[in-house]
Amino acid sequence: MATLAVPGQRETAVLLLHGVGGGRAIWGEGAASLPAALAAAGYRAAALDFPGYGSAPGEPTLDAMVQAVAEAVDALGGQAVLVGHSMGGMVAQELAARHPALVQGLVLACTSARFGQPDGAWQAQFLADRLAPLDAGLGMAGVAARLVPGLVGPQASGAARGHAAAVMSRVPEVTYRVALRAIAGFDRREALARIGVPTLMLAAEHDRTAPPDVMQRMAGRVAGAEYLCLAGAGHIANVEAPEAFAAAVLSFLGRHFPVPSLQAGPPCTSLAIQTT
């Protein structure tokens, strides 16, 4: 079971998938959030908590996360455009490979098609570095204090850094440990050529976790994929540059999934969907 919030109920469904240190709150809250911006533009926008995040029970194994997204897409009408950030982009690729009929389009942001190197040494070092604060008893607040400064770009505001750290600090320790290990063996490079839906690869200039050149190469392996790099931002580009991030997503949606006149249908409302 997973939970998601849906601020709008019109036309194309857009499902937002967060990263390993996130949760649906990473997309912002209220009128300033990305779900609200999408809903205002006429899309059915939902932000999902993966299992173990927020109020969603369970553990974020790769299978469980894919199942949660599949259930959420079903709740949204059976097909959706997936906007996946970092780990969320990996889950989006996994769903597209396993259940392509559920995916109407893809925005893969600050992510990659493979985690680490084939020999596993990089993954082992990555896990050791990311888990060191927890192993030292510093908790998720210690993880956030250590990681967030290196994840954002030099232009990130104090508010952006604070929001990213606050969201990461709220991730349960066991959830973070399971999610890291869930993506440690991720490799869907061979599936890129089979993606047959409109796709945007959205990179960030100062992202050292999913560098722009990596994402540009990914775009080259997906037929017709678009590539865009957000200037000035780092790995948490959706928090550091929310307006530019939203503009890129809305521009992509407008080209491939235009919305009929907003005069049709009822005003946007707020509700919650719980998938089982």
Side-chain angles (χ1 to χ4, degrees):
M1 183 168 62
T3 59
L4 60 156
V6 186
Q9 289 293 303
R10 294 183 188 147
E11 305 307 325
T12 301
V14 182
L15 186 59
L16 308 180
L17 309 178
H18 62 80
V20 67
R24 74 186 189 203
I26 201 69
W27 302 104
E29 298 176 342
S33 69
L34 180 57
L38 292 167
Y43 297 97
R44 287 181 290 147
L48 177 71
D49 271 330
F50 285 130
Y53 289 83
S55 60
E59 292 188 333
T61 64
L62 187 58
D63 286 346
M65 289 189 285
V66 169
Q67 180 62 27
V69 177
E71 291 177 359
V73 171
D74 183 65
L76 290 169
Q79 196 174 50
V81 176
L82 305 180
V83 179
H85 173 257
S86 194
M87 179 180 75
M90 296 179 186
V91 177
Q93 292 174 69
E94 191 69 21
L95 184 79
R98 297 188 192 185
H99 307 293
L102 299 180
V103 181
Q104 194 172 4
L106 290 167
V107 177
L108 302 177
C110 303
T111 190
S112 63
R114 180 183 70 181
F115 189 93
Q117 302 298 324
D119 63 6
W122 188 93
Q123 288 93 325
Q125 187 60 53
F126 179 90
L127 288 173
D129 290 343
R130 289 297 178 95
L131 295 175
L134 296 182
D135 294 338
L138 300 179
M140 287 302 298
V143 171
R146 175 171 174 172
L147 293 183
V148 169
L151 292 175
V152 298
Q155 300 175 22
S157 68
R161 293 168 186 262
H163 180 63
V167 172
M168 185 178 290
S169 295
R170 293 197 296 267
V171 177
E173 179 176 328
V174 65
T175 292
Y176 187 73
R177 289 180 180 273
V178 173
L180 280 177
R181 292 189 169 91
I183 61 174
F186 179 79
D187 188 345
R188 274 295 183 183
R189 289 171 297 168
E190 50 78 28
L192 291 174
R194 298 198 298 273
I195 293 176
V197 297
T199 300
L200 170 64
M201 299 293 182
L202 188 54
E205 180 184 4
H206 299 290
D207 188 351
R208 291 177 289 177
T209 303
D213 61 327
V214 170
M215 296 212 65
Q216 191 164 25
R217 289 197 297 271
M218 282 178 65
R221 300 179 68 173
V222 178
E226 302 174 25
Y227 168 80
L228 177 65
C229 184
L230 298 178
H235 185 62
I236 322 176
N238 51 321
V239 175
E240 300 172 64
E243 293 182 355
F245 191 99
V249 173
L250 286 168
S251 176
F252 170 78
L253 292 172
R255 291 192 301 276
H256 298 283
F257 308 98
V259 176
S261 172
L262 292 181
Q263 298 303 313
C268 292
T269 59
S270 294
L271 57 120
I273 288 179
Q274 190 170 72
T275 61
T276 57

